[in-house]
Amino acid sequence: MKIAELYQRKKTVISFEIFPPKKEADLEGIDRILAELGELSPDFISVTYSAGGMNNSAATFDIASKIQNEHQILSLAHMTCINSTPEQVAGNLEKAKLLGIENIMALRGDIPADYTGTPHYLYAKDLIAKIKKEQPQICIGAAAYTEGHTDCESVELGVEHLKQKADAGADFFVTQLFFDNRFFYEFYDKTLAVGLDLPISAGIMPILSKSQIEKMIFMCGASLPARIVKMLGKYENSPEDLKKAAMEYSAEQINDLIAHKVDGVHIYTMNRPEIARGNLEKIRYGNRI
Ligand code: FAD
């Protein structure tokens, strides 16, 4: 089944993201994670892919297949292109087809700091076009940035780039994490203003620790609202209280998004099912789908 169809059927599509374990040996642990996530009945689960083939990226497609075949949940396999040759992309697409994977998240990946080559695929839109050409039946997701991508000079320009991904064949979008829903709503209005009418799932990452959040905001440029900054200060020496307060915060974010009838909410679980559970348990009854 194609993920794009889910958005037509459901009020708010709820999805999770996981990453392949770093070591091959840890792959067994993924079954426990998937079993726990499965109890929460997500509409789909996405599996990240390491740009450059590091960190067990080969496992992405195997795990995506496991999600569908052993856990009966729709999966979305991520795929990056900055370091890929056309042959590697074609190989991945062939593997996806053999495994019955119908949904691919087409990404560029971050350009490595020491990169000096000339990429075959400079932007995600080039990968999207390649997928459309090779296997037009695949449903394609792509990344969106409510506060703008770190390499992009404005949100408006980012929206133009998003439109190019839609024109190349993207079927839906998932956003980078954000902590202030206003950014999402403003961004969504901007996409409508340029005539984009594809579903956009809002990416939510619950905070686990101060160091995790410092790393993330450095990597993706998300702004921290004053309430979170105060929370980080207040619970500096009390990690469990921080997690509790942060869980309340992300659950509030999700409730507000659902109340605003967003297309979807995508929870970055960081392979911690208790995070997804904690958030979903706090969804207000009236917001349940
Ligand atoms: P693009 O859409 O190509 O954008 C990259 C940059 O180029 C942006 O600044 C954009 O504005 C600019 N740009 C686009 N088109 C043009 C143009 N025509 N002219 C000039 N500039 C242009 N990374 C991983 O390695 N593995 C993952 O599994 C992964 N999953 C992700 C999932 C989500 C939901 C998100 C939001 C990000 C994910 N990332 C992942 C991170 C992503 O790879 C990085 O953010 C990367 O730097 C950009 O990827 P992209 O697909 O958005 O690229």
Side-chain angles (χ1 to χ4, degrees), residues 175-217:
T175 76
Q176 184 57 278
L177 63 98
F178 57 88
F179 297 105
D180 184 337
N181 289 358
R182 277 178 308 175
F183 287 118
F184 182 87
Y185 303 134
E186 285 168 18
F187 173 77
Y188 194 79
D189 286 346
K190 288 188 171 102
T191 66
L192 293 180
V194 299
L196 251 178
D197 62 354
L198 294 179
I200 305 180
S201 275
I204 297 295
M205 180 178 277
I207 297 172
L208 290 177
S209 68
K210 194 175 174 189
S211 59
Q212 166 231 5
I213 227 56
E214 279 168 357
K215 192 172 148 211
M216 281 317 298
I217 56 170

Side-chain angles (χ1 to χ4, degrees), residues 17 47-51 78 80 105-111 122-125 143-145 149-152 157-158 161 164-165 174-176 266 268:
E17 180 183 286
V47 191
T48 64
Y49 184 95
S50 274
H78 292 206
T80 62
M105 182 80 178
L107 301 144
R108 183 193 70 182
D110 288 326
I111 301 180
L122 183 54
Y123 299 118
K125 71 180 169 69
Y145 302 86
H149 182 262
T150 43
D151 298 346
C152 191
L157 190 56
H161 296 153
Q164 291 175 7
K165 296 200 238 194
V174 179
T175 76
Q176 184 57 278
H266 188 69
Y268 294 101

Side-chain angles (χ1 to χ4, degrees), residues 242-283:
L242 173 62
K243 262 191 245 172
K244 222 167 125 194
M247 188 79 84
E248 287 291 339
Y249 187 92
S250 48
E252 265 180 46
Q253 261 194 294
I254 295 171
N255 270 315
D256 182 68
L257 288 163
I258 296 178
H260 278 79
K261 301 187 171 28
V262 297
D263 301 310
V265 172
H266 188 69
I267 301 178
Y268 294 101
T269 72
M270 295 163 281
N271 289 14
R272 306 270 296 264
E274 72 275 16
I275 289 174
R277 184 179 294 281
N279 272 289
L280 294 189
E281 277 174 356
K282 289 190 173 64
I283 292 181

Side-chain angles (χ1 to χ4, degrees), residues 27-38:
L27 265 179
E28 282 171 20
I30 210 79
D31 268 321
R32 179 192 53 79
I33 292 170
L34 290 175
E36 287 187 40
L37 289 177

Side-chain angles (χ1 to χ4, degrees), residues 42-205:
D43 294 303
F44 70 88
I45 297 181
S46 81
V47 191
T48 64
Y49 184 95
S50 274
M54 285 124 57
N55 293 338
N56 209 4
S57 66
T60 298
F61 291 92
D62 294 329
I63 295 173
S65 162
K66 191 186 253 299
I67 291 171
Q68 295 195 156
N69 299 321
E70 294 174 29
H71 296 268
Q72 282 74 48
I73 302 167
L74 201 57
S75 70
L76 172 67
H78 292 206
M79 191 170 151
T80 62
C81 61
I82 188 66
N83 267 327
S84 304
T85 62
E87 294 72 29
Q88 285 166 330
V89 171
N92 270 340
L93 293 177
E94 210 41 54
K95 183 168 183 183
K97 193 176 179 183
L98 283 174
L99 292 170
I101 294 164
E102 293 180 279
N103 300 283
I104 288 184
M105 182 80 178
L107 301 144
R108 183 193 70 182
D110 288 326
I111 301 180
D114 55 355
Y115 188 79
T116 51
T118 309
H120 288 277
Y121 306 98
L122 183 54
Y123 299 118
K125 71 180 169 69
D126 306 325
L127 175 63
I128 294 169
K130 167 87 172 164
I131 297 173
K132 268 284 158 226
K133 187 165 165 247
E134 297 261 334
Q135 291 194 28
Q137 81 286 357
I138 285 179
C139 174
I140 304 175
Y145 302 86
T146 53
E147 296 179 67
H149 182 262
T150 43
D151 298 346
C152 191
E153 55 195 57
S154 71
V155 177
E156 286 72 19
L157 190 56
V159 170
E160 286 303 324
H161 296 153
L162 203 65
K163 180 110 186 0
Q164 291 175 7
K165 296 200 238 194
D167 292 342
D171 296 294
F172 66 96
F173 297 106
V174 179
T175 76
Q176 184 57 278
L177 63 98
F178 57 88
F179 297 105
D180 184 337
N181 289 358
R182 277 178 308 175
F183 287 118
F184 182 87
Y185 303 134
E186 285 168 18
F187 173 77
Y188 194 79
D189 286 346
K190 288 188 171 102
T191 66
L192 293 180
V194 299
L196 251 178
D197 62 354
L198 294 179
I200 305 180
S201 275
I204 297 295
M205 180 178 277

